[in-house]
Structures are given as C-alpha cells and as structure tokens.
Amino acid sequence: MRITRVLSAAALMLGLAVSPAAADSSPSPSASADDAAPTSAGTSFRTATEIEQGQQATASGSTGDYQYWSFPADAGQRPTVKATVKLPKTHAAQTWQVDVYDGLRRRQACQYGAQTRTAAADAASVELACVLRTVRAWSEPWANDPLPGTYYIRLTAVGLATADLGQPVDTSVRADSKDIGGAAAVDGSLAEPLVPGIAVTSASDEETSESSAVLSAIEPEDGWSSGWWSDRWVWTVLGGVLAALAGVGGYTLTRGAGRPRQVPPGA
C-alpha cells in the first residue's frame, strides 16, 4: 500500500512538472493582426526595416537591389526566415538568395531550407527559406554561434541577365521561431543582447538622456532573456525527486531483511 502511494505521488509530480515545459516548447506567438506590417524594406544594415516575429512584411523594389529587414531573436529560439519574390511577367532565368546575419553582422549558416533558388524563365514567383541554428544564451568569443539580439534578413538576386536589371518585383518576408527549451540551455549568458547601438551607450549617457541612440529598438514580446525558464530545470528537479522516492521505496521493500532473527527466551 505504501509503495502504491509513493508511485502515485511520483506520477502526480511528473504531470505537474511537464506541464510548464510543454507550454514552454510551443512555437512563439504570432504578431497581433492589429499591428500594421511594414510595407517597405531598407537598403542597408543601418536602414533595415524592423519587423516582429510572426509579421508578414512586404516591399516593392527592383531586380538588382538589396532589401533588408531586421527582427529580434532570444535564447532558446530556432528562427525560420521565409521569403517570396513575385517576378515580372517576362524575364530570363533568375537566381535569388536570402541571407541572415546576427547583431555583429556575421552571416549565419542555415541548417536547412532553400536559401538559394533559380527561377525558370517567365516563372511567376520564387520562394526561399532559411532555418537557423538554435540561438544560444552564451558562446565562446571565437565561435560563430547565433546569440540573442537583432538579426538581419538580406534578400537579393545573385544571378541576373543584363536585360532584367531594374525590373519591378514585389517581395514578402516572415520570421518565426520555435522554442527549443532545455535542450539548448547553456551555463552562461550575455551581459547585453547583440543589438546595434546598445554597446556604445554608456551608463552616464542613459542617466542624462532618456532617448539613447540605439540603432535598433525592437525586442521580443516578453523582453530579452525571456527564455530563462526551460524544461532543463524541470527534469533536473524531477530527477532528484524520483531518486529520493526510489530510495524510500527501496528501503521500504528491504527493511528488516538484514536484521538477525530474535529468539524467544526459553525456546
């Protein structure tokens, strides 16, 4: 009976512990439909159009131009960038490419996805995708791991016939993230996210001016380092609890087995 109560308590604690972890691993919420999505793109890193995760940003441009957008990504997220280019009615074969850079303007490799695609002559559109590695809370200085901060999207045509230069195109991009959870947790964190301008703003500047010159003001919905809680904490605590319950159960089953048998007096 006692063993049954112990196992029931363990099952109850398992259910309570897994619940927040399951909620933590759900995809990041999309931007509200009431938020006006941007309808233009920047022409450089400094003028990149800021978008929220989940927003479908659109822009009009010309073949041969560079188009830039930026979005925030926090620790524990695995960003996915998708882009669609609507091509002119008449054109030769074109090769388009989407690149993603972090806050230090380091180009980040795609785990998978069609980052570069060639559209056949007179094709109506071309779709691109890039799934980045999971954003880490901390990394070695020499590593090229994705870190929390601003990420830049650059969309351009890398293979064009001379006759196609300057033709009008319509583009759309979207950035989403999947929360990975404790599998990506590390023992460490950055002092500040890699947001352009934040490293050059001193404490005295912040005291004397309420509007500091930060090049990127966009941040995750719950603020930076919002993913400090992960299922890594859950399973660590749960492992300790289960180990303690196993010790109690083992003692209950085996207690008295090693004691010498008492012989009644006068036997």
Side-chain angles (χ1 to χ4, degrees):
M1 181 65 70
R2 182 175 297 178
I3 296 299
T4 303
R5 289 198 298 268
V6 170
L7 294 178
S8 299
L12 178 60
M13 296 187 67
L14 176 62
L16 293 176
V18 172
S19 296
D24 217 23
S25 61
S26 59
S28 57
S30 300
S32 173
D34 296 334
D35 296 337
T39 56
S40 62
T43 57
S44 67
F45 286 103
R46 292 183 63 87
T47 61
T49 299
E50 296 179 348
I51 62 174
E52 297 282 357
Q53 290 193 26
Q55 278 187 326
Q56 186 79 23
T58 58
S60 297
S62 303
T63 53
D65 293 342
Y66 286 95
Q67 295 184 338
Y68 289 83
W69 295 266
S70 65
F71 68 95
D74 207 354
Q77 294 183 337
R78 179 182 294 166
T80 298
V81 174
K82 296 182 179 180
T84 302
V85 183
K86 294 182 179 179
L87 303 172
K89 292 183 178 180
T90 304
H91 62 83
Q94 298 182 3
T95 301
W96 285 80
Q97 180 171 307
V98 60
D99 296 303
V100 183
Y101 298 81
D102 65 7
L104 298 178
R105 300 185 185 180
R106 303 177 301 179
R107 183 176 179 272
Q108 292 295 320
C110 302
Q111 278 190 315
Y112 49 88
Q115 181 183 9
T116 303
R117 268 188 172 173
T118 300
D122 300 334
S125 63
V126 59
E127 295 183 356
L128 307 168
C130 176
V131 180
L132 299 177
R133 294 171 295 167
T134 303
V135 178
R136 294 165 56 88
W138 180 87
S139 178
E140 295 288 350
W142 47 261
N144 195 37
D145 296 323
L147 295 169
T150 300
Y151 282 77
Y152 296 94
I153 305 170
R154 187 179 74 180
L155 179 64
T156 189
V158 295
L160 281 175
T162 304
D164 286 338
L165 286 172
Q167 291 197 41
V169 292
D170 293 324
T171 59
S172 64
V173 298
R174 181 185 177 97
D176 295 287
S177 288
K178 178 180 179 182
D179 292 329
I180 302 305
V186 295
D187 295 328
S189 62
L190 297 180
E192 297 287 352
L194 299 180
V195 176
I198 196 170
V200 298
T201 304
S202 64
S204 59
D205 293 337
E206 292 178 355
E207 292 175 358
T208 57
S209 175
E210 295 181 357
S211 57
S212 56
V214 178
L215 299 181
S216 180
I218 199 168
E219 65 178 28
E221 183 179 356
D222 298 329
W224 293 109
S225 299
S226 58
W228 67 270
W229 171 262
S230 70
D231 54 3
R232 183 182 184 185
W233 295 93
V234 173
W235 294 111
T236 300
V237 174
L238 184 60
V241 172
L242 292 178
L245 292 176
V248 173
Y251 172 78
T252 303
L253 290 173
T254 59
R255 67 175 181 176
R259 296 179 181 177
R261 183 178 179 183
Q262 298 292 333
V263 179

